[in-house]
Amino acid sequence: MAHKKPQRMNLRNRILNFEHWLSSDFKLAEPVIYQRELLKLFSENKDAFSYYRNWLFTLLFNKDEQEALTEFKNILDFKVGTSKHDQLLKHFLENNSSEIFSQKRLNAFEIALQAPNADLNQNTCFLYQQYYEIEILFIVLYSFITLNKSDKIEVELNKFRDRKSNLRKGVLIDNLKSKLRPYTLTHNLFKTAYNSKIRNVIGHNNYKIAEDIIESLEDNTIKLSKDEVYRAIYSIQSLNNNLLYYFSSKNKLNDNLQNEGILGMAFGLEEELPVLSIFQLSCFYSLGDFKWAQKIIFSIRNNQIVTNFGFQSPIIGLYSKELEQNWFSPLRKRKKLKIYLTPIVPRNEEADFITLDVGDFVVVEDGKRVDLEYEINKYEP
């Protein structure tokens, strides 16, 4: 498993490459560099793919964004473990899951490409308006804060609806700004996202754009810079990404994903005894104990070896005389094989990494050891 020259593209842009390819329904040309484990998961298990994709963007967070995500989760989990919290969580997962996981939002990273270089234009304003209209964030925040403060289940929000049952978002946003004040990071993010000046001029189509400045048409009293608008868009997107991550982590489908995310393995020696390292994406590693089969099975034919070690797709690799001499020959003298299940994350620009078939990864902690019986089947040509 030799090291190779570092890739020139960092993790953020590799993810962006995949996201834009995905948004084209794979109709665009396949990117030269992207996170190839995403495609592997996509082809093997759609639930695992969705879970990993939602988790992956958190690796791009800086310290402030990580702290904001933690605070956001703490708001929604303040009464975790109580029957009413379970009831409220079940309500949103069962009744709004399609909106939460496929609502009208661009992929989680597209704005990162637009913000630094794009001009301020009508498309930018339309993008803000699209995000503003997503209601699930308001409803979830209000419902969980009400549960935290009053121990009541409130999901209809009737007092914030007009005669046609449409949500009066402006009134609800003002209410939430007040209720979120004790949560400094979330409050600041929310206040930046739902900037009333931006909403007033864009929502009412009462603006003109001149040299990357938005001005209100009637009296020019409101002026908004490009940076101010993009900060609002990015903040809305961050809040929705936090919500997406929260519900993804609570989804019951995750209960059966602890065996997913196996990306490769390595034949090694420990005090001249054979050991097998199996590398699993850390987000699946942390879901629970891996369900091992009773024995690990090696199937050898010509120069190919197929390794089956559980209830997932087997790993196919190269078989050589050196591998037979240095690893399989001493293994045959032992009843069991020592295995390490090792958690990994995609490499960004770290100097210490391992190379697997789908890319470069970083080991995040020592692996869990298990000793398994094994079977070696060698098929002659």
Side-chain angles (χ1 to χ4, degrees):
M1 194 175 297
H3 287 197
K4 62 181 180 182
K5 292 182 179 179
Q7 296 185 27
R8 295 180 181 179
M9 188 173 288
N10 63 21
L11 178 61
R12 176 182 289 272
N13 287 323
R14 296 200 307 269
I15 296 171
L16 279 168
N17 274 358
F18 181 85
E19 290 292 327
H20 284 284
W21 186 37
L22 180 65
S23 67
S24 76
D25 197 23
F26 301 111
K27 292 176 182 177
L28 294 175
E30 180 177 331
V32 175
I33 301 176
Y34 65 96
Q35 287 306 115
R36 295 188 178 276
E37 76 280 4
L38 280 162
L39 190 57
K40 176 179 171 64
L41 290 173
F42 183 83
S43 64
E44 292 181 351
N45 186 317
K46 298 299 189 298
D47 292 331
F49 166 76
S50 297
Y51 179 71
Y52 178 64
R53 185 180 171 217
N54 293 333
W55 173 86
L56 187 58
F57 83 90
T58 64
L59 297 183
L60 307 181
F61 281 1
N62 59 36
K63 181 180 179 181
D64 291 342
E65 289 170 326
Q66 288 285 1
E67 291 175 350
L69 174 60
T70 298
E71 184 185 77
F72 185 91
K73 291 189 294 183
N74 288 341
I75 295 172
L76 272 56
D77 270 346
F78 184 76
K79 291 205 170 182
V80 67
T82 66
S83 59
K84 288 185 177 179
H85 185 276
D86 292 343
Q87 180 183 341
L88 190 57
L89 184 60
K90 181 179 179 182
H91 167 82
F92 285 115
L93 285 174
E94 291 185 352
N95 298 318
N96 295 293
S97 58
S98 61
E99 182 179 4
I100 292 169
F101 294 106
S102 61
Q103 55 189 282
K104 298 176 182 178
R105 68 179 189 91
L106 300 180
N107 69 66
F109 309 99
E110 186 166 346
I111 199 64
L113 283 185
Q114 294 185 26
N117 303 311
D119 294 330
L120 195 59
N121 54 40
Q122 275 73 23
N123 288 336
T124 311
C125 298
F126 179 66
L127 178 61
Y128 179 83
Q129 186 64 24
Q130 276 188 311
Y131 277 117
Y132 187 93
E133 296 303 324
I134 298 173
E135 298 181 348
I136 188 65
L137 176 70
F138 309 141
I139 297 172
V140 168
L141 279 174
Y142 185 86
S143 297
F144 278 91
I145 289 175
T146 299
L147 175 67
N148 297 346
K149 291 183 175 294
S150 307
D151 202 34
K152 295 179 180 179
I153 300 291
E154 170 59 83
V155 294
E156 300 299 331
L157 279 67
N158 288 326
K159 68 179 182 179
F160 295 106
R161 298 187 183 277
D162 60 23
R163 293 180 180 179
K164 295 182 180 180
S165 294
N166 295 318
L167 200 61
R168 295 182 293 164
K169 285 186 279 291
V171 177
L172 179 54
I173 285 170
D174 288 341
N175 183 279
L176 283 171
K177 285 180 180 177
S178 175
K179 283 183 165 56
L180 286 170
R181 281 198 182 96
Y183 312 100
T184 305
L185 299 176
T186 307
H187 178 259
N188 289 340
L189 201 57
F190 193 88
K191 185 171 62 173
T192 302
Y194 298 99
N195 184 322
S196 59
K197 292 192 300 181
I198 299 177
R199 167 58 178 167
N200 287 338
V201 295
I202 292 178
H204 298 110
N205 198 25
N206 178 34
Y207 68 92
K208 62 181 180 180
I209 300 175
E211 297 181 354
D212 272 351
I213 298 292
I214 293 180
E215 297 181 0
S216 54
L217 285 176
E218 295 176 353
D219 53 13
N220 294 335
T221 56
I222 298 178
K223 293 187 178 183
L224 303 164
S225 69
K226 168 187 169 179
D227 288 343
E228 193 171 3
V229 175
Y230 272 113
R231 278 199 303 272
I233 294 173
Y234 189 82
S235 297
I236 291 182
Q237 191 174 49
S238 296
L239 287 166
N240 277 280
N241 287 343
N242 288 348
L243 181 66
L244 187 68
Y245 177 75
Y246 177 82
F247 279 103
S248 175
S249 67
K250 298 293 184 180
N251 197 319
K252 290 299 182 183
L253 295 173
N254 300 339
D255 292 346
N256 297 315
L257 295 181
Q258 67 267 31
N259 273 41
E260 300 299 329
I262 300 294
L263 298 186
M265 65 184 192
F267 299 95
L269 296 173
E270 192 175 274
E271 297 179 353
E272 299 184 356
L273 297 178
V275 296
L276 187 68
S277 295
I278 298 174
F279 301 105
Q280 182 181 32
L281 290 166
S282 68
C283 60
F284 300 106
Y285 178 90
S286 63
L287 289 178
D289 292 333
F290 193 91
K291 297 178 181 178
W292 296 98
Q294 289 186 347
K295 64 171 64 176
I296 186 167
I297 299 175
F298 300 100
S299 298
I300 301 168
R301 190 187 302 272
N302 296 335
N303 64 341
Q304 186 181 81
I305 178 169
V306 177
T307 306
N308 196 325
F309 47 82
F311 306 99
Q312 63 287 305
S313 299
I315 293 181
I316 301 174
L318 294 177
Y319 174 78
S320 65
K321 291 181 179 180
E322 290 78 13
L323 184 62
E324 171 63 37
Q325 179 180 350
N326 298 327
W327 201 85
F328 278 102
S329 182
L331 175 62
R332 287 184 172 91
K333 299 175 184 178
R334 306 186 61 81
K335 291 184 178 181
K336 290 188 176 183
L337 169 62
K338 184 188 296 186
I339 301 172
Y340 290 101
L341 183 65
T342 304
I344 56 174
V345 296
R347 178 194 180 210
N348 189 9
E349 296 176 343
E350 294 88 350
D352 190 13
F353 63 95
I354 61 173
T355 296
L356 304 176
D357 288 343
V358 291
D360 298 335
F361 297 84
V362 176
V363 173
V364 294
E365 62 180 84
D366 293 337
K368 295 177 183 176
R369 175 182 167 177
V370 61
D371 294 335
L372 287 184
E373 293 182 1
Y374 64 90
E375 179 179 319
I376 303 173
N377 299 317
K378 191 169 183 180
Y379 303 94
E380 299 299 331

